[in-house]
Amino acid sequence: MSSTSSSSVFTAHSALTPHGWDEDWADAFAPYAAEGLLPGRVIRVDRGQCDVVTADGVLRADTAFVTPHDPLRVVCTGDWAAVEPDGNPRYVRTYLPRRTAFVRSTSSKRSEGQILAANVDHAIVAVSLAAELDLARIERFLALAWESGAQPLVVLTKADLVPDPVTLGHLVQDVETTAPGVPVLSVSAEQGEGLDVLAAVVAGGTAVLLGQSGAGKSTLANALLGRDVMDVQAIRDVDGKGRHTTTTRNLLVMPGGGVLIDTPGLRGVGLWDASSGVGQVFAEIEELGRGCRFHDCAHESEPGCAVLAALDTGELPQRRLESYRKLMRENQRIVAKTDARVRAEIRKEWKRRGALGKAAMEAKRGRVR
């Protein structure tokens, strides 16, 4: 269709603008508009059906037409869908190509990914200050967030539980060191602290709210909405954790602009082909690695390793390197399950390291003799 027709598609469905509808989405939807289909954004998915908000209101649609064997291609909250104008039941015919997608591994034993949210601009990682900070888990969330194509933001919730500003400042600094290039914001939904800054971020597009159960995501969503929409459950005093409050992913329009996708608490956060995301989380290690003698240095025991040198001088904390190694190994295993080329490269690397170890042992025996 012509650009004029695309513009008319945008205008005809301008009521969707608060949900993220723009000229680019209208242009992508133009061929489906010519077929008489309706554009809409998926605000909730439940057992093969979904709620889709259209210019005429919210309708229920079946996703049977777009339920392929690949779990990453199922309809997801945040998708822009092409929906039949009528019918009983109605069907989603397809969804528009995603700009971004937040994906995790469903299980370390299966080579399957699960898409949690689509077309997200900001990935908000909620971390509760009611419990001790788990920096490794924050790094894991951030790796997936960077890989999704969204801009990460770490929000330290329940800041009112840390009344000492010096202590709170140290906690923020610890997370900032763990999350290079990522804004870190402390908020208190109970007292309203930091909510104006967070609302301004959310107003810039679509944000997804991620975190463990008990991180205060639903309380935070209610505070941003200005009303109680999400159920909130009590948190155990002993460990700061709670049961899942949100059971489905819901897309909510914010009063100050933008949309927020609230998600259930995630117990497991497995990586899914997130090598570039891991690299961004550990940007300082990647930068140090460029100074290693060998371009394929594994930062284990190789001579001339700039990463190990930084470790010896204290420039690089041991915890950061161990976390980097763990996530890189995990990601490599996940990718190897579905990529024969990667499996071959891993076997080749094992053989290379084995040969190096054997040579080192023989050289050591020669010196002993």
Side-chain angles (χ1 to χ4, degrees):
M1 297 182 71
S2 65
S3 58
T4 302
S5 298
S6 298
S7 178
S8 65
V9 171
F10 171 75
T11 303
H13 302 281
S14 59
L16 286 170
T17 301
H19 289 85
W21 181 248
D22 58 29
E23 293 279 5
D24 290 335
W25 287 122
D27 185 58
F29 190 81
Y32 302 106
E35 298 177 20
L37 298 176
L38 297 176
R41 194 161 196 192
V42 179
I43 60 176
R44 186 173 181 270
V45 178
D46 181 26
R47 298 179 181 178
Q49 292 189 316
C50 63
D51 293 335
V52 183
V53 60
T54 70
D56 298 325
V58 178
L59 56 85
R60 189 74 165 164
D62 197 297
T63 63
F65 274 115
V66 278
T67 307
H69 295 298
D70 183 354
L72 298 181
R73 299 181 63 189
V74 299
V75 173
C76 177
T77 302
D79 275 327
W80 283 97
V83 187
E84 293 178 343
D86 49 35
N88 187 18
R90 297 194 189 203
Y91 288 95
V92 173
R93 286 292 184 87
T94 188
Y95 58 81
L96 300 183
R98 293 161 176 159
R99 294 177 182 174
T100 62
F102 192 94
V103 181
R104 69 164 177 173
S105 174
T106 54
S107 170
S108 59
K109 297 180 180 180
R110 298 200 313 244
S111 55
E112 288 186 359
Q114 178 190 22
I115 182 165
L116 299 180
N119 302 312
V120 171
D121 301 295
H122 304 281
I124 301 172
V125 179
V127 180
S128 173
L129 290 175
E132 184 177 354
L133 288 177
D134 186 341
L135 298 178
R137 180 170 287 273
I138 294 174
E139 289 164 343
R140 180 178 290 273
F141 269 108
L142 290 175
L144 293 177
W146 278 122
E147 192 69 33
S148 74
Q151 169 65 49
L153 167 68
V154 177
V155 172
L156 302 180
T157 66
K158 308 177 186 179
D160 52 288
L161 298 180
V162 188
D164 179 20
V166 175
T167 301
L168 180 59
H170 286 316
L171 292 171
V172 171
Q173 187 176 24
D174 286 344
V175 178
E176 288 176 336
T177 302
T178 299
V182 177
V184 180
L185 176 67
S186 61
V187 303
S188 169
E190 295 293 332
Q191 299 181 357
E193 296 177 1
L195 291 179
D196 54 342
V197 178
L198 184 57
V201 173
V202 174
T206 297
V208 62
L209 193 53
L210 306 155
Q212 289 182 282
S213 297
K217 298 188 304 302
S218 295
T219 300
L220 196 57
N222 286 336
L224 290 170
L225 283 163
R227 62 188 192 279
D228 291 342
V229 174
M230 311 305 296
D231 292 333
V232 177
Q233 293 179 346
I235 305 302
R236 297 194 299 256
D237 292 332
V238 64
D239 56 8
K241 296 181 180 179
R243 293 172 295 174
H244 292 298
T245 299
T246 304
T247 57
T248 58
R249 291 177 284 281
N250 302 280
L251 189 146
L252 311 164
V253 177
M254 295 290 105
V259 296
L260 180 70
I261 299 175
D262 192 19
T263 65
L266 301 175
R267 291 192 180 94
V269 193
L271 299 185
W272 179 261
D273 196 4
S275 57
S276 64
V278 173
Q280 286 180 277
V281 174
F282 299 93
E284 80 279 26
I285 297 179
E286 295 276 304
E287 181 62 31
L288 286 167
R290 295 186 180 95
C292 292
R293 181 183 301 177
F294 304 109
H295 76 277
D296 59 347
C297 183
H299 318 312
E300 296 285 354
S301 59
E302 295 86 347
C305 176
V307 173
L308 295 180
L311 190 67
D312 291 338
T313 62
E315 177 186 354
L316 177 65
Q318 180 74 36
R319 190 204 67 80
R320 283 283 283 174
L321 181 57
E322 290 177 354
S323 185
Y324 172 76
R325 287 169 173 167
K326 180 179 180 180
L327 292 183
M328 289 296 284
R329 286 195 299 266
E330 177 183 329
N331 189 73
Q332 194 176 46
R333 286 196 301 270
I334 289 294
V335 175
K337 288 182 178 181
T338 57
D339 193 322
R341 180 183 57 80
V342 173
R343 288 197 297 271
E345 289 178 354
I346 292 174
R347 286 194 293 269
K348 183 178 179 181
E349 177 64 13
W350 285 343
K351 290 180 180 179
R352 186 183 73 84
R353 292 190 184 185
L356 287 175
K358 183 178 180 181
M361 183 61 71
E362 290 178 349
K364 182 177 180 180
R365 288 172 178 170
R367 288 195 297 271
V368 171
R369 291 173 187 169

